[in-house]
Amino acid sequence: DQRLSILANSKSALVLDVSGVSFIASMGLRSLMTCARTLGAKGGKLAIAGAAPNVLKVLETSGMGQIAPLAATVDDAVAAIAG
């Protein structure tokens, strides 16, 4: 799979597909932020893909988009962190 090949060649990258998530509470949001910051501190990257509109609104409002790319699809998320 081309997506896995791209990620395997990066130092440390994670794409989180949240398309099955219909609600995110503060603990989930905090976990995502901690993960993104931890990866970032190690030179890695996190991208979040497929958020439902209500979940996306929470992610955007919280500033998560400033820490990790928020992408509509997994392919878009891979492209956002592959560079």
Side-chain angles (χ1 to χ4, degrees):
D1 186 319
Q2 183 181 6
R3 291 178 292 188
L4 293 178
S5 175
I6 291 169
L7 292 176
N9 290 326
S10 66
K11 184 172 182 177
S12 182
L14 175 65
V15 171
L16 186 61
D17 181 354
V18 296
S19 59
V21 176
S22 59
F23 174 81
I24 188 164
S26 60
M27 279 302 284
L29 186 59
R30 180 173 183 215
S31 294
L32 290 177
M33 289 185 161
T34 300
C35 181
R37 288 183 179 130
T38 301
L39 275 171
K42 295 179 179 181
K45 298 175 185 176
L46 170 73
I48 299 172
N54 60 315
V55 173
L56 183 60
K57 184 175 180 177
V58 171
L59 294 172
E60 290 173 336
T61 302
S62 70
M64 187 68 195
Q66 302 298 317
I67 301 169
L70 305 174
T73 67
V74 170
D75 287 336
D76 290 343
V78 170
I81 62 175

